[in-house]
Amino acid sequence: MSASPAALVARRVLSAASHSSHEGGARTWKILTFVLALPGVAVCMANVYMKMQAHSHDSPEFVPFTHLRIRTKKFPWGDGNHSLFHNSHTNALPDGFEGSHH
């Protein structure tokens, strides 16, 4: 099977174009990194910093919903009331948060 002359010409044109189109590819990505990616990361970091400064650290009011924090048996570690990865600042026990330092 021989290819048509038009297909051969198109193949030659496309293959010739591919040799010169990749020149400077690394340079382009390096410029994009310094011009777009790094300033984008800096803007995101500034946004997070400003949101954390405006964040209120007041403890939320505890509402003892009956369908949450159901304990049918004790956990097999510790006092049996705290989960394995318990965080006293964010995780409430069935009777409320631990202490007033939340």
Side-chain angles (χ1 to χ4, degrees), residues 6-59:
L8 290 175
V9 170
R11 186 183 315 163
R12 287 185 189 137
V13 170
L14 293 175
S15 66
S18 69
H19 290 293
S20 64
S21 67
H22 291 295
E23 293 177 10
R27 183 176 181 270
T28 302
W29 283 107
K30 186 176 182 180
I31 290 171
L32 286 174
T33 298
F34 288 116
V35 173
L36 293 177
L38 294 180
V41 169
V43 166
C44 290
M45 287 175 60
N47 184 25
V48 167
Y49 178 75
M50 288 187 291
K51 285 186 183 255
M52 285 303 296
Q53 294 300 320
H55 178 69
S56 173
H57 292 285
D58 298 334
S59 61

